[in-house]
Amino acid sequence: MKRPIAPVSLHRHHVSDTDGFLLVVATGLVCAVELTVLVRCLTAGLAPFATAGVLAAFHVGYLVADQLRAMFRMPSLLLALALSCASLAAALINLSAAFGAATALGATGMVFNSVCQAIRRHLKRRTSVSIFAKNLSKAIGMVFGGVAGSSTWASAWLVCAIPMCVLAAWATRRPDPAAARPEPSPADRGSPRSRPLLVAELLHHAHYFAYVYTFWFVAPSLIGPMSGVWFLIGWLAYFVAEYALRARRRAFSPGIMAIGHLLVAVMVLTMPHLPAFLVLTAWFVTGIGGGTAYMLGNVKPDGNRERYEDVGHVAGAAIAAATAGIAGGSAFHGAAATLVVAALLACAAAGTFLLVRHPRHLPPIEGRTS
């Protein structure tokens, strides 16, 4: 975006500050809610298939967010978010192992995430914030959500977001300054040469969401107020891989990404046979292995990368739910079955990475952000 002339810049700068603040808050809010929902499922006695199913419904919100963003303006979305926060808080408080209670949580979680992601995508069209600010908000949200989800009544914290949403709706009563994005050209919609890259993107996300919500059942002592911290540890490991590879000036290597995902497969297969503290170690190592996929961001695929990510989220969690449900038995047994499927998906991702052609031209490594 071009810098406006001086008389307008003061107003635009203020708007940018407001939008940037809302984007950071919305990003942290999503992470806090996701962890609150997960930990409530884990502490309320839901089975692995129900836990994964609730979170799969939550991630469906990513698939419909663009439609909501196109249909509604920001004030309407923010007011809808306030209502969804109230509904989700009620579902969290009344959660039990009963099918109806879990279904209600999945439905309200899906509505919340749909609206919140639509708001985030509105804001990302209008402003940008630093990677550090977004990552810090995510980290705080994870830790807070783990603590809140471990207590029935602490889950009611979502009602505190209602007045914030109402105030934000009032503050954003103005026309959307973002110009409509042009329709993608046929070349941007995908081609046979780019498809392996996009499929690898999908499988990368699917393998992660096939185990991230269920591996806790093989180490139940990890479930509690510290769950958000343990979740954060695995997420931070992605940055370890990125910084290590960037320091070695590795911009794109299908072989390294394949090796990283094979390492993930080994780690998740060992989890059911490890004590809790080593499960946590394996969880961290999976982040390092999966973190090699940061290289995908260094190459622009000929297609809608975000859409493949979103489908991977839902597919992975849904596969985990179906696998645990079919496996039956104890919670440990059902979770162990999802780890096997997650390992298979990680291997599939590794194989697909090897089908990706190495780009002839890559941008300089210096100055690139994740």
Side-chain angles (χ1 to χ4, degrees):
M1 178 183 294
K2 294 182 180 180
R3 180 171 297 183
I5 58 176
V8 183
S9 62
L10 293 176
H11 174 69
R12 290 287 180 89
H13 180 69
H14 173 72
V15 169
S16 178
D17 286 348
T18 301
D19 288 346
F21 174 76
L22 289 177
L23 179 56
V24 170
V25 171
T27 299
L29 180 63
V30 169
C31 290
V33 170
E34 182 180 356
L35 264 293
T36 300
V37 170
L38 171 61
V39 178
R40 276 293 291 134
C41 289
L42 296 174
T43 57
L46 268 66
F49 80 89
T51 298
V54 166
L55 273 301
F58 181 88
H59 282 281
V60 170
Y62 287 94
L63 299 178
V64 299
D66 281 333
Q67 286 76 13
L68 290 179
R69 179 187 58 76
M71 292 170 59
F72 301 101
R73 293 180 57 221
M74 275 288 288
S76 299
L77 289 171
L78 286 162
L79 292 176
L81 183 63
L83 293 174
S84 68
C85 285
S87 300
L88 183 56
L92 286 165
I93 292 172
N94 293 289
L95 181 63
S96 68
F99 176 79
T103 301
L105 180 57
T108 54
M110 179 183 66
V111 173
F112 167 86
N113 198 36
S114 301
V115 177
C116 202
Q117 295 301 336
I119 291 171
R120 291 185 67 247
R121 292 177 185 184
H122 251 304
L123 293 169
K124 286 193 290 185
R125 286 165 58 92
R126 297 177 356 182
T127 189
S128 62
V129 297
S130 69
I131 296 294
F132 175 79
K134 287 195 291 187
N135 288 339
L136 180 61
S137 69
K138 290 179 181 180
I140 293 173
M142 291 176 193
V143 174
F144 175 79
V147 174
S150 62
S151 170
T152 300
W153 288 102
S155 301
W157 70 268
L158 269 167
V159 298
C160 298
I162 295 175
M164 180 188 70
C165 293
V166 174
L167 288 173
W170 179 84
T172 56
R173 294 180 303 165
R174 57 184 173 81
D176 190 344
R181 289 181 177 176
E183 289 295 320
S185 65
D188 292 330
R189 290 173 180 154
S191 65
R193 289 191 304 171
S194 69
R195 193 162 296 130
L197 187 67
L198 294 169
V199 172
E201 186 86 52
L202 189 155
L203 290 171
H204 163 68
H205 288 274
H207 97 269
Y208 174 76
F209 287 99
Y211 74 91
V212 68
Y213 300 132
T214 55
F215 83 90
W216 307 88
F217 291 95
V218 303
S221 63
L222 298 178
I223 299 172
M226 291 293 289
S227 294
V229 177
W230 308 146
F231 196 98
L232 177 62
I233 286 174
W235 181 69
L236 290 175
Y238 275 70
F239 297 97
V240 174
E242 177 177 349
Y243 292 145
L245 291 170
R246 185 176 293 173
R248 290 167 174 77
R249 304 182 61 79
R250 300 306 297 263
F252 188 81
S253 172
I256 288 179
M257 289 188 289
I259 292 171
H261 284 71
L262 291 176
L263 177 63
V264 173
V266 172
M267 289 296 101
V268 296
L269 288 175
T270 62
M271 282 182 176
H273 310 289
L274 301 174
F277 77 96
L278 288 181
V279 169
L280 196 59
T281 303
W283 163 239
F284 180 80
V285 176
T286 63
I288 295 177
T292 58
Y294 98 90
M295 293 178 176
L296 290 172
N298 294 330
V299 183
K300 183 179 179 181
D302 295 330
N304 189 341
R305 178 185 178 189
E306 187 175 52
R307 193 66 173 178
Y308 278 77
E309 292 179 6
D310 296 344
V311 172
H313 289 204
V314 178
I319 289 171
T323 300
I326 293 172
S330 66
F332 181 95
H333 185 263
T338 68
L339 296 179
V340 173
V341 172
L344 292 174
L345 288 171
C347 290
T352 309
F353 284 128
L354 296 177
L355 297 177
V356 176
R357 295 184 181 182
H358 196 293
R360 293 181 180 180
H361 303 287
L362 285 170
I365 295 177
E366 290 81 9
R368 190 181 304 133
T369 57
S370 61

